[in-house]
Amino acid sequence: MPLGAYLTLAALVFAIGLFGVLTRRNAVGILLGIELMLNAVNINLVAFARFSGDLGGILFTLFTIAITVAEVAVGLAIVIVIFRVRRTVEADHLDLLRG
Amino acid sequence: MRVGSAAVALVVLGLPFASFLLLALVRPLRRSAVAAATVSITVMVAAVVAAFWLSWRARPLELLQSPSTTWSWIPADGGPMATVGVMVDGKSMAMCMLVTFVSLMVQLYSWAYLHDEPRRSLGRYYAYHSLFAFSMLGLVLAPTFLQMFVFWELVGLCSYLLIGYWYDRPSAARAAVKAFWITKLGDLGFVAGIVMLWAAAGTFDFWELFRLAHTNGLPPAGMPLIMFLIYLGAVGKSAQFPLHIWLPDAMEGPTPVSALIHAATMVTAGVFLVNRAFPLFMLVPDVLTLIAWVGAFTALLAATMACVENDIKRVLAYSTVSQLGYMMAAAGASAPDAGFAHLLTHGVFKALLFLGAGIVIHVFHTNDVFRMGGLGGQPWLWVPFVLATLALAGVPPLPGFFTKEAILGGVFEAHLTIPFVMLAVTAFLTAFYMFRVVFLAFFARGLGDSHAHHHVPPLMSGVCWTLAALSVATGVNLARQMLAGAHHEGAPAWLPAFSLGLAGAGIVLAWAMYRRGAIDPARVATVLAPLDWAARRGYGIDAVFAGLYRGALLGFSRVVGWVDRYVVDGLLNVFSAWTLRAGDRLRRLQTGLPQDYVYGVALGALILFVLAQWRMK
Amino acid sequence: MSGLAPFALEAGIGVVLLLVFGAGLLARGEDRRFVAWLATTGVLAVGVLAMLARPAGPALGGMFVQDGLAIFAKRLFLAATFIGLLAGLSLTDRVFVRRAGEYHLLILTSLLGMMVLASARDLILLFLAFELMSIPLYVLAGFLKRDAAAVEASLKFFLVGSVSSAVMAYGLSFVYGATRTTDLARIAAVATAGDPLLTLGLVATLVGFAFKIAAFPFHMWVPDTYEAASTPFVAWLSVAPKAAGFVALFRVYFEGAGDRAATWVPVAAFLATVTMLAGNLMALPQQNTKRLLAYSGIAQIGYMLVGVAAASASGTAMVLFYLVAYVFGNMGAFLVVEALARSEGSEATTAFRGLAQRSPLLALAMLLFLLSLGGIPFVAGFWAKLYVFWAATERGLYWLVLLGALLTVVALFYYLLVAKRMYIEPPDRPTRVPVAPTLALSVALCVLGVVILGLYPKAVVMAAMRVASPLF
Amino acid sequence: MIPFPVLSVITWAPFVGAVLIMFLARHSPLAVRLIALLTTSISTVLSVFIFVVYDREAAGFQFYEKLPLVPPLGISYEVAVDGMSLLMVLLTSVIIFAGVFASWTVKSRSQEFYALLLALVTGVYGVFVSLDLFVFFLFYELAVLPMYLLIGIWGSSGEVRPRGIFGWAFRETGVGTKEYAAMKLTLYLLFGSAFILVGIFALYVTAGTGSFSFLELEATTFDPRVQFWVFLAFYVGFGILAGIWPLHTWSPDGHASAPTAVSMLHAGVLMKLGAYGVVRLGMGLLPDAAVELAWLVGGIACINVVYGALSAMAQTDLKYVIAYSSVSHMGLVMLGAATLTEAGLNGSVFQMFAHGVMTGLFFALVGLVYEKAHSRAIFTMGGFGRAMPGIATAFTVGGLSSLGLPATSGFVAEILTFMGAWRSAHPWWLVPAVAGTFLTAVYVLRVTKQIFWGPPSPHFDHLEDARGPEWLALVLLTGVIVVFGLVPALAIGPVDTATVPILTRMVKP
Amino acid sequence: MTAEAVAFVGVAVVLLGSSLAVVLTPNLFHSILYLAVALVATGVVFLLLDAPFLFGVQLLLYAGGVVTIVVFAIMLTERLVGRTIRQASRYLINGALLSVAVFAGVAGFLVQAPLAGARPGVSGDLTLAVGRALVGAFAVPLELLGVLLVIALLGALYFARSEP
């Protein structure tokens, strides 16, 4: 398959992830959307690396995956602490700060 | 033509100014009435001496030599833009003598007249007087239009200050402002005119301008407008129709002030202006004709109003307006010398009239002629006044007869028939209304008897007698000249008799109505009801001006003020409020919902994508 | 050891990190504020070291570079961090006392991220440093974890941050794809203007930077986070990461790009326009001083973007100068708010009522900061704005400069409102406002910075020019 | 020349005074005043000194000082005066000197008051003497900003009822309060400075000489398109400060709310700064655009003259009358400049001076009247002349100067403007200019009559005349009005040497 | 259609389908399971791109690690709240529109890009090369990654543990 196919696939996944972030009410659900977006990045990177024969993309992917994990960990911790304080993880209820 | 010494002229000019400075700046002097009056009068005496000396030592002028001496006033790159100096020709020397002399007389008279005034403010009075003398002398000595305008406005200022001398009186305060405004209205034309003349000729200097006029160096196209505008200045200052309305009100000032400023000197500045600039006016015959018409009309109009006026000072004021009309008409009829002569003689006897009126006012404490009378037994009071009245009415051998006759002759010669008729009627009316005053104020029985032996300070009557003597002397002198054959060439021979007849008729009518009682004034008034009604109301001209002021000016200003506050500034406030509101609106984008923030990021990214796409192409 | 020279500062921070970590582990008892002192001293020490640092060649195969720009930026980060930590020493909330170890570890890590970011010349390292800088911030924002507002702010920050970094990573992947390398030097060499993939990549990457520097419309986390988080942290947050964002921006978009940098003029100009507009307008109705400063900070970013839009050496230098001025002005303002909030228990602008009569010096300090932010002569901010405008004028961006200058007027409106509260309105009570010594010291440092830069900007301007010119 | 940096001393002496006041005179109001007096005296004496020793034959810029600040960017501290700025410096000195006396009785927080006032004055001096546009701009800002606090703290509020279709906006912005006025003034003027800044930068960039020096820029000929836009920017920017219609509305509110000395300085000097900017930078550097746009400048000036006078007539608050009269007179200033003639431009500069002194006198008097009578409502006052003859006299002199009565400096300025107007490309400008003087006569004399003459108003008693230091202010300002009215050559001599070169550049032979 | 193409299409369908399910399914727990599927599918994509090493990492770190953490989180919150968390979606249409627009924005660039380059052959052992790089040039970044993970853990711990 040509590079374009992979890129398009990644773009689609990216868009779907974004859609998830925009529409899910549950904070955890939003996190999942972010995961999808980062996943798309990885597909892109690997595809580019494969088609250019360059190692950088692979390394980049490795780092991205690790960073993602760190992000998710922190994100989930925030969700938990929010839940503890606010008794909800519905993002729509989190509007103490506005204006 | 004769020219005087510039140095002496400067002395004449400088003396009253020094006196003014002294009185204005040295507070103890100002607060002490005696010292102030002494300084002012002493200086004035010196000025009179200097003025006469100036005239005495004048020498003949060589052909094409300028009678003016000037110094730079407003510098500019290529030589001064405006100059100041003195122009000492026959006219200005004569005016100097008139001004200083009458000023001296009035100042002396005032000392007695204003004896009851608070001492503290007399210093102010004399300071104003000195300033006035300085300004008036500056005006007559001015060698340039600009300098003339400067002093022109300064005499206006003095007039304003002196009319409002009793500023506690609302009417005085109002009259002062009115005088200033109305004359200023004319001065707008004056200043515009001289500026335009400057633009056309490149100079303000009379002598230069005359030379240019002589050599056709002035652009003919703009001249009528320019000269008309300059004439407007004279209209305001010399109380020509329709700007005459300030002069009767100006009588709110102390009577000596009226005598000096609003009769003898300042108001004649307009006439002097036309005379001074006559070589330029000669270029514009249409404007001259207009001047003649307006002058004659003013003369007649004022005379009719004088006939129905009961306030002695206002009668004299209308008479002044009327006589100024005469002088202007003379100038308009290309007989400026006649007008100028009338100016000089009128200056003396009109001052006398006012000062005489001041005496009766002093005696009766009223201005109303119907509440006076019974002074027939005191000739030292009425003789000077009656002499002056006769002079004004035009009875020989008093000076008014000769100068007035010369004016009539000049107008007749210029084939200005209707103005001539108007002036003739005015001559008749003048005799009538003046003798109306004489009969009522001095010789009526009854009302005023209780005051009949009121003490009149000798200083006041002394001044009056001096002026009367001067007037008679002038008249005799003129009569001598006439008999010696200096009669105006070309004027019809019947004119003196006609003129005398008019005066006689007026006197007789007045006698018949107010002395003899043969004709009931009330019946005459009924017969001429519409005229009487209109004349008593000043023909509504005052009302028109008041309406324009209130309705047009103040009303419009209120509209502008409102527009500025609520529209111009309002728009600014709208912009400010919009900015604040925009901030508030935008702030609401910040909903506080986490995902809306992500929308922001996504939208922002999208916009950047689109922008980059668009840039790539 | 010469091989390590380029990393000296990072290594220094690493040592401080370890010390703080160790001290935190060893500490017994509730009061662990000595950790804070340790961290502050450590940062100061590294700061002194940074003053001595000289540019060194690239290391790690060109991945890491200690050039003038990096050193300039690192000095800036260290200064900001020092002031922030110094001010934080006075925090007496229980959580800061007990958890001083975590707090400082997080700040130091983030600082480490910034410093690496300033030196990163490789996409991978860049992204990693970016995240290293960002992730601790999410935690720090919610450090007051009992506070509903703080954790909510933390979540928003995290959410916007991770979406932005996802977009950024996506963009970086395209940059890599278009150029087949992650080395910025090589990218600059290979890149051809108008390559769609590269453009897409750079634009998407810009989203990440825009989030970090809080350009409109990526700014939305800013006001909420600033309002809720602890003030000394916010003071630092409002300047240091933004400075890092700008430096990285210069690296990616300008370094070695030469004339092609101008491609970014319209994009940056657009961002500058909307950011200035939105920031200034939205600050107008604010009643909470921290929110006010947040929006004003967004506007300031807009002005810096004007300098970015100039896409020139002088523009870059002016932004660097602006950042320095901004560090002092903005941090100072936040710290005064902190001082006042501590004594009045309120962060509303009304807390400033009559301050000039209660504590004239504090009021004067605040006035100076506000004037600096407003861009008024003889304080640092004036030169900053002026130089930035100047650089943009050289590009012919007259309209942008005019807009910026006009919006300064809008900005002065809200700055002057605070000044009005301080100077014109009468105080509610006559007592002096007590200020903790360390806080006072940090405010004084900021005042010094603002005034010295205002009176003698030349040294810093020259330094900025020197470090910026090699980029082009 | 003179090695002594006389201009720098003039400029910075008040600033030093401000600093001294802030740090040394904490608790002694008298010391505050004495320091202020001393430092402004230094400036005043030196201003008179340079006015006297300025070499009128040599003309051009004199007392030149230069100190490079940022050489690579072409910024230097470069000061000098020519005939025009010489007069402006003198004006500033006169006004601030009188202002120090006029505010002798400020009660609350006088330390800060004087410090801010002196800082402001430094800005004003700086603008007039700077030859470096950048430093010029710095001083400009310095001259504007202290205004906010000066009005905000020591000002007074009026009442403006929200009316008309924009009433809602009035409610939202708080029109009438001193805070509003202070904010409006400051922001409006800074709004203008934004345009100026862009203009200066544009000149700097397009000239390509890498210098902000006026002298170097003057030697550059700019592209007509650049000239056009930059001139517009300068016109709007400086015009706001000069109070051109319709950007003048800050001025009535600001002046009415400001404390006495601030109104004096602001109306007396700062507005001149705007006009000075238009002439110096607009016409001096952009001659072609100045010619091209003269119709605009002059046309708007005509509106100013008439509109300002009519608005003044409509006011019932004394301070607003004076403030609007400034709008009207600034119209004459701009009109004179727009005529592009020697007479007009000289008249314009002279009008700046004349109006500065006159309006300074007015505001000092209004302040005194307010202090004695605690009222500014014209139509409740009356007959004050009896109790305060000195104030009444000074007010009348000011009024007469304002309506252009000869023997006051106002006349010379007006007549020159008229002369220029009729010789300009648009002779009809003479009509509104002349009409303006009449309208001025109407409202000034009306107000004078109402307040000082006529029967005493029953609402007031225990009025008294000016006292002690207040007299100094009145006598000084009145004296200047008269002396310069009688001997205009004192001022016009040097001014002419400065305006003629500007004109020759504009109207090329 | 080559085998690779068939495989690609298959994987793509699975990936997109599961991704959609992640963002659409109302049951949060199901979402996670779908995420796991999606992550595995991504791993398969990596396989198709000749990166088996990454396939492993993906499986271990992502599908294993992440999913486990998330599951824990959900269990934790569900335990705290005491009921199954259902999740709803907000503004589906807006979200869809914006997502499609972003996709279109990206696609707009992609269609213009010259992506015709052929796929080069696989050269050498990728895993080995990656390993070498990580201990070579990328040693410092790797250290930093370690710091990042530690600090993230520290932060997460700070949040997660309940203070006395």
Side-chain angles (χ1 to χ4, degrees), chain B residues 589-608:
Chain B
L589 285 182
Q590 196 84 15
T591 53
L593 298 175
Q595 275 147 308
D596 288 356
Y597 296 7
V598 179
Y599 268 96
V601 174
L603 269 174
L606 188 62
I607 292 170
L608 290 186

PDB file of all heavy atoms in Angstrom, chain B residues 589-608:
ATOM      1  N   LEU B 589     -17.116  33.515  25.951  1.00  0.00           N
ATOM      2  CA  LEU B 589     -16.586  32.349  25.242  1.00  0.00           C
ATOM      3  C   LEU B 589     -15.929  31.413  26.236  1.00  0.00           C
ATOM      4  O   LEU B 589     -15.856  30.200  26.034  1.00  0.00           O
ATOM      5  CB  LEU B 589     -15.518  32.784  24.246  1.00  0.00           C
ATOM      6  CG  LEU B 589     -15.973  33.451  22.972  1.00  0.00           C
ATOM      7  CD1 LEU B 589     -14.763  33.761  22.123  1.00  0.00           C
ATOM      8  CD2 LEU B 589     -16.924  32.553  22.225  1.00  0.00           C
ATOM      9  N   GLN B 590     -15.435  32.013  27.275  1.00  0.00           N
ATOM     10  CA  GLN B 590     -14.737  31.239  28.297  1.00  0.00           C
ATOM     11  C   GLN B 590     -15.808  30.617  29.191  1.00  0.00           C
ATOM     12  O   GLN B 590     -16.084  31.070  30.289  1.00  0.00           O
ATOM     13  CB  GLN B 590     -13.852  32.200  29.088  1.00  0.00           C
ATOM     14  CG  GLN B 590     -12.795  31.544  29.920  1.00  0.00           C
ATOM     15  CD  GLN B 590     -11.563  31.231  29.115  1.00  0.00           C
ATOM     16  OE1 GLN B 590     -11.398  31.744  28.020  1.00  0.00           O
ATOM     17  NE2 GLN B 590     -10.722  30.369  29.642  1.00  0.00           N
ATOM     18  N   THR B 591     -16.417  29.525  28.664  1.00  0.00           N
ATOM     19  CA  THR B 591     -17.606  28.993  29.338  1.00  0.00           C
ATOM     20  C   THR B 591     -17.264  28.265  30.615  1.00  0.00           C
ATOM     21  O   THR B 591     -18.126  28.002  31.428  1.00  0.00           O
ATOM     22  CB  THR B 591     -18.319  28.000  28.431  1.00  0.00           C
ATOM     23  OG1 THR B 591     -17.353  27.039  28.027  1.00  0.00           O
ATOM     24  CG2 THR B 591     -18.899  28.689  27.226  1.00  0.00           C
ATOM     25  N   GLY B 592     -16.013  27.896  30.769  1.00  0.00           N
ATOM     26  CA  GLY B 592     -15.656  27.093  31.931  1.00  0.00           C
ATOM     27  C   GLY B 592     -15.763  25.603  31.650  1.00  0.00           C
ATOM     28  O   GLY B 592     -15.318  24.790  32.456  1.00  0.00           O
ATOM     29  N   LEU B 593     -16.343  25.203  30.527  1.00  0.00           N
ATOM     30  CA  LEU B 593     -16.479  23.773  30.226  1.00  0.00           C
ATOM     31  C   LEU B 593     -15.207  23.282  29.539  1.00  0.00           C
ATOM     32  O   LEU B 593     -14.799  23.845  28.520  1.00  0.00           O
ATOM     33  CB  LEU B 593     -17.675  23.543  29.321  1.00  0.00           C
ATOM     34  CG  LEU B 593     -18.996  23.967  29.959  1.00  0.00           C
ATOM     35  CD1 LEU B 593     -20.130  23.821  28.956  1.00  0.00           C
ATOM     36  CD2 LEU B 593     -19.279  23.133  31.195  1.00  0.00           C
ATOM     37  N   PRO B 594     -14.597  22.240  30.099  1.00  0.00           N
ATOM     38  CA  PRO B 594     -13.293  21.813  29.577  1.00  0.00           C
ATOM     39  C   PRO B 594     -13.302  21.545  28.084  1.00  0.00           C
ATOM     40  O   PRO B 594     -12.373  21.926  27.369  1.00  0.00           O
ATOM     41  CB  PRO B 594     -12.999  20.536  30.359  1.00  0.00           C
ATOM     42  CG  PRO B 594     -13.798  20.675  31.601  1.00  0.00           C
ATOM     43  CD  PRO B 594     -15.012  21.461  31.252  1.00  0.00           C
ATOM     44  N   GLN B 595     -14.382  20.913  27.617  1.00  0.00           N
ATOM     45  CA  GLN B 595     -14.324  20.543  26.205  1.00  0.00           C
ATOM     46  C   GLN B 595     -14.476  21.719  25.274  1.00  0.00           C
ATOM     47  O   GLN B 595     -13.999  21.710  24.144  1.00  0.00           O
ATOM     48  CB  GLN B 595     -15.390  19.499  25.896  1.00  0.00           C
ATOM     49  CG  GLN B 595     -14.861  18.129  26.212  1.00  0.00           C
ATOM     50  CD  GLN B 595     -15.949  17.229  26.695  1.00  0.00           C
ATOM     51  OE1 GLN B 595     -16.675  17.586  27.613  1.00  0.00           O
ATOM     52  NE2 GLN B 595     -16.072  16.086  26.077  1.00  0.00           N
ATOM     53  N   ASP B 596     -15.145  22.770  25.779  1.00  0.00           N
ATOM     54  CA  ASP B 596     -15.222  23.962  24.943  1.00  0.00           C
ATOM     55  C   ASP B 596     -13.836  24.522  24.700  1.00  0.00           C
ATOM     56  O   ASP B 596     -13.568  25.131  23.663  1.00  0.00           O
ATOM     57  CB  ASP B 596     -16.108  25.010  25.615  1.00  0.00           C
ATOM     58  CG  ASP B 596     -17.565  24.611  25.570  1.00  0.00           C
ATOM     59  OD1 ASP B 596     -17.852  23.561  24.952  1.00  0.00           O
ATOM     60  OD2 ASP B 596     -18.406  25.310  26.145  1.00  0.00           O
ATOM     61  N   TYR B 597     -12.969  24.297  25.666  1.00  0.00           N
ATOM     62  CA  TYR B 597     -11.604  24.763  25.483  1.00  0.00           C
ATOM     63  C   TYR B 597     -10.913  23.955  24.380  1.00  0.00           C
ATOM     64  O   TYR B 597     -10.114  24.487  23.616  1.00  0.00           O
ATOM     65  CB  TYR B 597     -10.809  24.651  26.790  1.00  0.00           C
ATOM     66  CG  TYR B 597     -11.322  25.528  27.907  1.00  0.00           C
ATOM     67  CD1 TYR B 597     -12.501  26.239  27.771  1.00  0.00           C
ATOM     68  CD2 TYR B 597     -10.613  25.650  29.093  1.00  0.00           C
ATOM     69  CE1 TYR B 597     -12.958  27.039  28.801  1.00  0.00           C
ATOM     70  CE2 TYR B 597     -11.067  26.450  30.120  1.00  0.00           C
ATOM     71  CZ  TYR B 597     -12.256  27.147  29.977  1.00  0.00           C
ATOM     72  OH  TYR B 597     -12.707  27.931  30.977  1.00  0.00           O
ATOM     73  N   VAL B 598     -11.249  22.678  24.347  1.00  0.00           N
ATOM     74  CA  VAL B 598     -10.675  21.850  23.278  1.00  0.00           C
ATOM     75  C   VAL B 598     -11.218  22.304  21.926  1.00  0.00           C
ATOM     76  O   VAL B 598     -10.498  22.305  20.925  1.00  0.00           O
ATOM     77  CB  VAL B 598     -10.976  20.367  23.534  1.00  0.00           C
ATOM     78  CG1 VAL B 598     -10.402  19.511  22.425  1.00  0.00           C
ATOM     79  CG2 VAL B 598     -10.427  19.939  24.879  1.00  0.00           C
ATOM     80  N   TYR B 599     -12.486  22.702  21.932  1.00  0.00           N
ATOM     81  CA  TYR B 599     -13.022  23.271  20.704  1.00  0.00           C
ATOM     82  C   TYR B 599     -12.142  24.420  20.244  1.00  0.00           C
ATOM     83  O   TYR B 599     -11.864  24.583  19.055  1.00  0.00           O
ATOM     84  CB  TYR B 599     -14.450  23.793  20.934  1.00  0.00           C
ATOM     85  CG  TYR B 599     -15.526  22.787  20.623  1.00  0.00           C
ATOM     86  CD1 TYR B 599     -16.079  22.007  21.607  1.00  0.00           C
ATOM     87  CD2 TYR B 599     -15.988  22.643  19.322  1.00  0.00           C
ATOM     88  CE1 TYR B 599     -17.066  21.089  21.333  1.00  0.00           C
ATOM     89  CE2 TYR B 599     -16.974  21.724  19.017  1.00  0.00           C
ATOM     90  CZ  TYR B 599     -17.517  20.944  20.028  1.00  0.00           C
ATOM     91  OH  TYR B 599     -18.475  20.038  19.737  1.00  0.00           O
ATOM     92  N   GLY B 600     -11.745  25.222  21.197  1.00  0.00           N
ATOM     93  CA  GLY B 600     -10.874  26.343  20.861  1.00  0.00           C
ATOM     94  C   GLY B 600      -9.620  25.863  20.154  1.00  0.00           C
ATOM     95  O   GLY B 600      -9.251  26.378  19.094  1.00  0.00           O
ATOM     96  N   VAL B 601      -9.001  24.859  20.740  1.00  0.00           N
ATOM     97  CA  VAL B 601      -7.764  24.346  20.141  1.00  0.00           C
ATOM     98  C   VAL B 601      -8.040  23.817  18.737  1.00  0.00           C
ATOM     99  O   VAL B 601      -7.320  24.143  17.783  1.00  0.00           O
ATOM    100  CB  VAL B 601      -7.174  23.237  21.031  1.00  0.00           C
ATOM    101  CG1 VAL B 601      -5.982  22.595  20.345  1.00  0.00           C
ATOM    102  CG2 VAL B 601      -6.788  23.797  22.379  1.00  0.00           C
ATOM    103  N   ALA B 602      -9.115  23.027  18.609  1.00  0.00           N
ATOM    104  CA  ALA B 602      -9.389  22.415  17.308  1.00  0.00           C
ATOM    105  C   ALA B 602      -9.708  23.475  16.270  1.00  0.00           C
ATOM    106  O   ALA B 602      -9.205  23.427  15.136  1.00  0.00           O
ATOM    107  CB  ALA B 602     -10.552  21.436  17.443  1.00  0.00           C
ATOM    108  N   LEU B 603     -10.531  24.413  16.670  1.00  0.00           N
ATOM    109  CA  LEU B 603     -10.867  25.484  15.729  1.00  0.00           C
ATOM    110  C   LEU B 603      -9.627  26.281  15.349  1.00  0.00           C
ATOM    111  O   LEU B 603      -9.423  26.613  14.178  1.00  0.00           O
ATOM    112  CB  LEU B 603     -11.887  26.423  16.358  1.00  0.00           C
ATOM    113  CG  LEU B 603     -13.343  26.078  16.108  1.00  0.00           C
ATOM    114  CD1 LEU B 603     -14.243  27.007  16.897  1.00  0.00           C
ATOM    115  CD2 LEU B 603     -13.656  26.168  14.623  1.00  0.00           C
ATOM    116  N   GLY B 604      -8.829  26.576  16.367  1.00  0.00           N
ATOM    117  CA  GLY B 604      -7.610  27.318  16.098  1.00  0.00           C
ATOM    118  C   GLY B 604      -6.736  26.569  15.110  1.00  0.00           C
ATOM    119  O   GLY B 604      -6.235  27.150  14.139  1.00  0.00           O
ATOM    120  N   ALA B 605      -6.588  25.278  15.337  1.00  0.00           N
ATOM    121  CA  ALA B 605      -5.774  24.472  14.420  1.00  0.00           C
ATOM    122  C   ALA B 605      -6.355  24.535  13.018  1.00  0.00           C
ATOM    123  O   ALA B 605      -5.644  24.709  12.027  1.00  0.00           O
ATOM    124  CB  ALA B 605      -5.709  23.041  14.920  1.00  0.00           C
ATOM    125  N   LEU B 606      -7.677  24.406  12.961  1.00  0.00           N
ATOM    126  CA  LEU B 606      -8.333  24.420  11.657  1.00  0.00           C
ATOM    127  C   LEU B 606      -8.069  25.748  10.940  1.00  0.00           C
ATOM    128  O   LEU B 606      -7.725  25.774   9.751  1.00  0.00           O
ATOM    129  CB  LEU B 606      -9.835  24.218  11.863  1.00  0.00           C
ATOM    130  CG  LEU B 606     -10.630  24.011  10.596  1.00  0.00           C
ATOM    131  CD1 LEU B 606     -10.170  22.745   9.897  1.00  0.00           C
ATOM    132  CD2 LEU B 606     -12.117  23.918  10.909  1.00  0.00           C
ATOM    133  N   ILE B 607      -8.213  26.837  11.689  1.00  0.00           N
ATOM    134  CA  ILE B 607      -7.985  28.151  11.076  1.00  0.00           C
ATOM    135  C   ILE B 607      -6.543  28.245  10.563  1.00  0.00           C
ATOM    136  O   ILE B 607      -6.292  28.725   9.454  1.00  0.00           O
ATOM    137  CB  ILE B 607      -8.274  29.275  12.089  1.00  0.00           C
ATOM    138  CG1 ILE B 607      -9.765  29.314  12.401  1.00  0.00           C
ATOM    139  CG2 ILE B 607      -7.818  30.615  11.549  1.00  0.00           C
ATOM    140  CD1 ILE B 607     -10.114  30.206  13.557  1.00  0.00           C
ATOM    141  N   LEU B 608      -5.633  27.753  11.375  1.00  0.00           N
ATOM    142  CA  LEU B 608      -4.237  27.793  10.940  1.00  0.00           C
ATOM    143  C   LEU B 608      -4.043  26.966   9.677  1.00  0.00           C
ATOM    144  O   LEU B 608      -3.339  27.364   8.753  1.00  0.00           O
ATOM    145  CB  LEU B 608      -3.319  27.309  12.053  1.00  0.00           C
ATOM    146  CG  LEU B 608      -3.177  28.240  13.256  1.00  0.00           C
ATOM    147  CD1 LEU B 608      -2.130  27.707  14.220  1.00  0.00           C
ATOM    148  CD2 LEU B 608      -2.818  29.647  12.838  1.00  0.00           C
TER     149      LEU B 608
END
